[in-house]
């Protein structure tokens, strides 16, 4: 179980010219009004008004359709944006989850589909040889999951500990080759996104509209049913496994998937940067503390313990050297940190309170069979050489499981 880094902390000018003249000859009588000209001018004005209204209506409908989706990226048709986007928000979106893991060989990060309240489909590349896995819902509920097995074509089947009500149904049959499809998943910054990927007959190249964290994301038809899952070792080699195969993988007692558990002493989670969310006013001091803690959590997750030393005070670096820091974080992964308070200190430093989650191996020292805990720490930050560094850390409340409501 990882310990905090405390003492031993696991115009131009206008010109007008008037001309007058006195006619020498009598003037002809005035011409009567040209009725047809007035009618023609009025008709032209009417056409302009109608055209403007049509354009404005199209613009409004276009914007409304886009607002109806979590995020529209890449090549998105108006039909998909309007029909599927609204459905995704109402039903499919809540059942698309983030998949995080501390693994021996995987990336530790992907998207997934919760299909029956407890079964999740994702990409095997995200959780290859896992020590521990969690899923995170769009409303930040965290649940532990176990790997049931992986398929030869790169699909992983997980079973969640407990149940959730939001589900995504598997389509009964394969899609119409000419029907539009969408991919739903997450970015590395945990933002849920939706991309049109065309039809089977006219597909969009996946690597042009997605990122690594979307591997494992479900492919949906216009009714919001799962018709495939995106898999691959990387975005460049990504592909879609269709629903006909997926049904076989989730069947009870399926022989089409095999277990792939990890046994390494050191494992890692996702390597993308982790930036704490500021839940306080973004003052200069709070922003500086946020940058410091972002560097700390990111380097810890990358196991770059030598670089972490530059973020410690001289006092802390003496008590928590590289070797000791490494031993305390062999399998840990910090995620979803939130800065809940930043208080200035008399020494031009700060006390930053942070709530966060840590994923680790259930066999780690002090884990006691658990794999994920919620932490509430106060980081004492001091100023050395003109910059904030971490000097100490104190727990503010007892640790608890990540799935505790």
């Amino acid at each position: 179980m990882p310990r905090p880094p405390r003492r031993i902390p696991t115009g131009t000018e206008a010109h007008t010219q008037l001309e007058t003249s006195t006619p020498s000859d009598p003037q002809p009588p005035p011409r009567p009004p040209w009725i047809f000209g007035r009618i023609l001018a009025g008709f032209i004005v009417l056409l302009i008004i109608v055209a403007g209204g049509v354009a404005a209506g199209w613009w409004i409908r276009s914007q409304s359709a886009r607002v109806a989706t979590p995020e529209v990226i890449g090549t998105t048709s108006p039909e998909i944006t309007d029909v599927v986007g609204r459905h995704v928000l109402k039903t499919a979106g809540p059942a698309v989850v983030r998949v995080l893991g501390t693994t021996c060989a995987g990336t530790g990060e992907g998207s997934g589909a919760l299909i029956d309240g407890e079964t999740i489909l994702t990409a095997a590349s995200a959780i290859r040889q896992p020590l521990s896995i969690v899923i995170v819902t769009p409303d930040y509920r965290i649940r532990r999951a176990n790997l049931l097995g992986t398929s030869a074509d790169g699909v992983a089947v997980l079973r969640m500990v407990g149940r959730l009500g939001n589900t995504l149904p598997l389509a009964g049959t394969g899609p119409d080759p000419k029907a539009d499809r969408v991919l739903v998943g997450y970015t590395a910054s945990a933002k849920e996104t939706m991309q049109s990927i065309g039809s089977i007959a006219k597909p969009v190249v996946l690597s042009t509209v997605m990122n690594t964290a979307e591997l494992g994301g479900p492919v949906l038809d216009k009714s919001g049913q799962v018709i495939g899952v995106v898999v691959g070792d990387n975005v460049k080699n990504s592909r879609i496994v269709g629903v006909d195969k997926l049904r076989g993988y989730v069947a009870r007692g399926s022989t089409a998937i095999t277990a792939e558990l990890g046994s390494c002493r050191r494992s890692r989670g996702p390597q993308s940067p982790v930036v704490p969310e500021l839940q306080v006013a973004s003052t200069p001091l709070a922003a500086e503390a946020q940058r410091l803690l972002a560097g700390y959590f990111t380097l810890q997750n990358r196991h770059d313990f030598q670089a972490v030393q530059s973020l410690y005070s001289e006092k802390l670096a003496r008590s928590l050297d590289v070797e000791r820091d490494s031993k305390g974080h062999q399998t840990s992964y910090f995620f979803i940190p939130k800065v809940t308070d930043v208080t200035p200190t008399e020494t031009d430093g700060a006390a930053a309170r942070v709530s966060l989650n840590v994923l680790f191996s259930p066999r780690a020292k002090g884990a006691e069979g658990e794999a994920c805990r919620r932490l509430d720490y106060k980081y004492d930050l001091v100023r050395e050489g003109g910059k904030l560094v971490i000097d100490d850390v104190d727990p503010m409340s007892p640790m608890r499981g990540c799935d505790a409501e």
Side-chain angles (χ1 to χ4, degrees), residues 153-381:
D153 54 6
V155 176
V157 182
L158 313 178
R159 180 66 45 80
M160 184 178 67
V161 177
R163 294 183 65 88
L164 290 173
N166 300 316
T167 61
L168 275 176
L170 291 177
T173 60
D176 180 338
K178 295 182 181 180
D180 284 325
R181 307 167 297 169
V182 293
L183 166 64
V184 183
Y186 288 84
T187 66
S189 59
K191 188 172 186 177
E192 191 172 28
T193 65
M194 183 181 74
Q195 290 91 7
S196 172
I197 56 171
S199 63
I200 294 176
K202 293 183 178 180
V204 171
V205 178
L206 293 175
S207 61
T208 64
V209 296
M210 64 176 288
N211 64 83
T212 301
E214 287 177 279
L215 287 169
V219 177
L220 309 178
D221 60 16
K222 291 192 295 182
S223 67
Q225 295 184 323
V226 178
I227 55 176
V229 167
V230 175
V231 301
D233 290 334
N234 50 57
V235 170
K236 183 180 180 179
N237 297 319
S238 58
R239 60 195 182 278
I240 299 172
V241 176
V243 67
D244 292 336
K245 289 186 176 181
L246 298 179
R247 283 195 295 269
Y249 300 155
V250 302
R252 295 284 179 176
S254 174
T255 58
I257 57 174
T258 56
E260 186 186 18
L261 302 179
S263 59
C264 55
R265 293 183 58 188
R266 271 188 190 281
S267 62
R268 292 184 180 182
Q271 300 296 284
S272 52
V274 175
V275 180
E277 175 189 347
L278 271 184
Q279 295 191 328
V280 298
S282 184
T283 64
L285 183 62
E288 187 179 6
Q290 181 190 36
R291 289 192 297 270
L292 169 61
L293 294 169
Y296 170 71
F297 293 130
T298 298
L299 292 173
Q300 286 283 1
N301 287 344
R302 293 175 179 174
H303 292 187
D304 192 345
F305 302 111
Q306 184 64 55
V308 172
Q309 291 286 304
S310 66
L311 306 181
Y312 292 165
S313 67
E314 293 181 1
K315 182 191 73 175
L316 182 57
R318 285 194 298 268
S319 63
L320 190 62
D321 58 19
V322 172
E323 182 180 358
R324 201 166 194 176
D325 210 358
S326 175
K327 286 182 179 180
H329 300 90
Q330 294 190 44
T331 66
S332 61
Y333 170 68
F334 297 103
F335 64 106
I336 315 182
K338 299 178 180 181
V339 179
T340 60
D341 185 64
V342 177
T343 303
T345 62
E346 295 179 356
T347 57
D348 197 27
R353 187 167 179 173
V354 182
S355 66
L356 68 156
N357 306 272
V358 59
L359 185 64
F360 48 89
S361 169
R363 300 187 294 273
K365 184 178 179 181
E368 299 177 349
E370 294 188 27
C372 188
R373 288 179 179 162
R374 290 184 177 178
L375 311 177
D376 182 14
Y377 285 163
K378 178 174 68 71
Y379 290 80
D380 292 327
L381 312 179

Side-chain angles (χ1 to χ4, degrees), residues 32-185:
W34 189 33
I35 304 299
F36 178 74
R38 291 184 178 181
I39 294 174
L40 179 61
F43 182 69
I44 293 173
V45 170
L46 178 62
L47 284 179
I48 293 172
I49 293 173
V50 171
V54 170
W58 175 86
W59 186 85
I60 292 172
R61 286 196 301 274
S62 175
Q63 300 307 306
S64 298
R66 289 184 177 272
V67 170
T69 63
E71 183 177 341
V72 181
I73 298 176
T75 307
T76 305
S77 70
E79 181 182 14
I80 284 294
T81 302
D82 186 31
V83 178
V84 176
R86 293 177 184 174
H87 190 82
V88 165
L89 278 180
K90 184 176 180 180
T91 57
V96 179
V97 299
R98 294 178 69 200
V99 177
L100 302 174
T102 177
T103 74
C104 301
T107 64
E109 181 175 33
S111 300
L114 180 60
I115 63 170
D116 64 1
E118 61 180 0
T119 304
I120 300 101
L121 292 171
T122 188
S125 57
I127 43 79
R128 187 155 287 135
Q129 298 179 29
L131 295 186
S132 57
I133 305 170
V134 294
I135 65 165
V136 184
T137 66
D139 58 356
Y140 295 103
R141 285 179 290 174
I142 302 171
R143 295 292 184 271
R144 183 177 173 181
N146 296 312
L147 175 64
L148 298 184
T150 59
S151 66
D153 54 6
V155 176
V157 182
L158 313 178
R159 180 66 45 80
M160 184 178 67
V161 177
R163 294 183 65 88
L164 290 173
N166 300 316
T167 61
L168 275 176
L170 291 177
T173 60
D176 180 338
K178 295 182 181 180
D180 284 325
R181 307 167 297 169
V182 293
L183 166 64
V184 183

